[in-house]
Amino acid sequence: LKQAQEGNPAAITEIWEMYKPLLLKNAIVEGVFDEELYHELVTVLLIAFRGSGSWNDKCVFPEALALGVDKLF
């Protein structure tokens, strides 16, 4: 977690992969996958990783970059 907060791409990816099934599960509303909700959940996860650590200017997840989430960091 500390490495993820410090912006280590491998650590962030590893933790994101651990949470991915939960994010996918929680993005299902009334039996239908809500892609927008999934992207929001990923965004919240990335913001949580940022925490008190210091990341570079870019986010490391391709999905987040596709959403423009890199502008949050």
Side-chain angles (χ1 to χ4, degrees):
L1 181 59
K2 182 69 174 168
Q3 289 181 6
Q5 287 179 329
E6 291 172 353
N8 180 320
I12 295 168
T13 301
E14 183 177 341
I15 293 174
W16 174 69
E17 288 292 335
M18 289 182 352
Y19 279 94
K20 189 174 180 180
L22 182 62
L23 297 173
L24 290 167
K25 176 186 169 206
N26 284 299
I28 296 173
V29 179
E30 297 181 8
V32 178
F33 178 72
D34 185 333
E35 187 173 349
E36 186 175 335
L37 177 56
Y38 173 73
H39 289 210
E40 183 68 27
L41 293 170
V42 170
T43 301
V44 170
L45 181 66
L46 294 172
I47 291 169
F49 280 138
R50 170 112 190 229
S52 60
S54 59
W55 281 9
N56 294 329
D57 292 335
K58 293 241 177 201
C59 175
V60 296
F61 291 118
E63 294 85 352
L65 293 173
L67 291 172
V69 175
D70 58 329
K71 293 177 177 63
L72 294 174
F73 303 102

